[in-house]
Amino acid sequence: SYSSLPHTMTPRDLVVLLASFCLSCDAFRLPAAGLRLPAGAAASSASSSSCCRMMFGGAGGKPDGEGGMGGFMEQMKAAKDMFNPENMKKYAALGQKIQALQEELGQTEVEVATNEGAILVKITAMQVPLDVKVSDEMVAKGAEAVSAEVAAAMKQAHAKSGAYMQQRMAELYKELGIAEPPKQ
């Protein structure tokens, strides 16, 4: 919970954060020729790359922005900002609101009809299928036609519910004043 987090960062906290950052990323990679593996260890990981990364992201004397020290310092600033008490409050509120939004999306029905109502598909905004109805006229067209129409309706319903979910999430982020995560 938020109350158990420190409200200010001490130099010790910064060192711990720096150490965990360095250990969690690939900051200390050595050239493959410099590695000595214990007996029985797979050599494939050592020989897979002869790349050497400099500590703190340096790139052999290149200026900031090209792999120099500036990238590291910006990452440290971002980490410090992330653990800012005000941001922690925002993240806690975001977690609660996301949970409420997930419940809302689970109850919201999205409906798509194709071919003038011949196929009717209902799914939740969380993309859980609820119902598929096929008209007698559509059934009379045969299994292949029904299959194609159902597939088209499901794709449309999936896209529509996904767009609705993204819209609601964007509204939530905007409401809390938090930047949206990058879309993949």
Side-chain angles (χ1 to χ4, degrees), residues 141-159:
K141 292 182 179 182
E144 195 170 302
V146 170
S147 179
E149 282 298 310
V150 168
M154 292 297 289
K155 287 176 185 177
Q156 288 176 20
H158 184 268

Side-chain angles (χ1 to χ4, degrees), residues 15-179:
V15 169
V16 169
L17 179 64
L18 172 62
S20 62
F21 169 78
C22 290
L23 292 175
S24 68
C25 70
D26 200 11
F28 296 107
R29 181 177 225 153
L30 297 174
L35 292 179
R36 293 191 184 262
L37 297 175
S44 63
S45 63
S47 63
S48 66
S49 172
S50 61
C51 165
C52 178
R53 294 188 188 194
M54 308 296 270
M55 185 171 167
F56 307 122
K62 291 187 181 177
D64 289 351
E66 293 181 28
M69 185 79 158
F72 171 75
M73 294 309 290
E74 287 180 23
Q75 289 177 350
M76 287 303 296
K77 248 189 224 178
K80 179 184 169 217
D81 291 344
M82 185 178 4
F83 293 106
N84 174 324
E86 186 176 315
N87 285 346
M88 295 305 292
K89 288 178 187 177
K90 286 182 181 179
Y91 294 137
L94 177 64
Q96 293 169 348
K97 291 196 178 230
I98 284 178
Q99 189 173 18
L101 179 59
Q102 285 176 335
E103 291 173 19
E104 173 194 323
L105 293 173
Q107 300 300 315
T108 303
E109 291 183 5
V110 175
E111 189 174 287
V112 171
T114 65
N115 204 2
E116 297 176 14
I119 303 286
L120 181 70
V121 172
K122 283 186 188 179
I123 65 174
T124 68
M126 291 289 289
Q127 302 182 337
V128 176
L130 296 175
D131 193 23
V132 175
K133 292 185 180 176
V134 181
S135 70
D136 292 334
E137 295 83 23
M138 191 67 208
V139 172
K141 292 182 179 182
E144 195 170 302
V146 170
S147 179
E149 282 298 310
V150 168
M154 292 297 289
K155 287 176 185 177
Q156 288 176 20
H158 184 268
K160 188 175 178 181
S161 67
Y164 179 76
M165 187 182 344
Q166 286 179 344
Q167 172 196 348
R168 292 291 291 128
M169 288 297 293
E171 291 169 2
L172 180 64
Y173 279 103
K174 186 176 179 180
E175 175 187 326
L176 293 173
I178 297 174

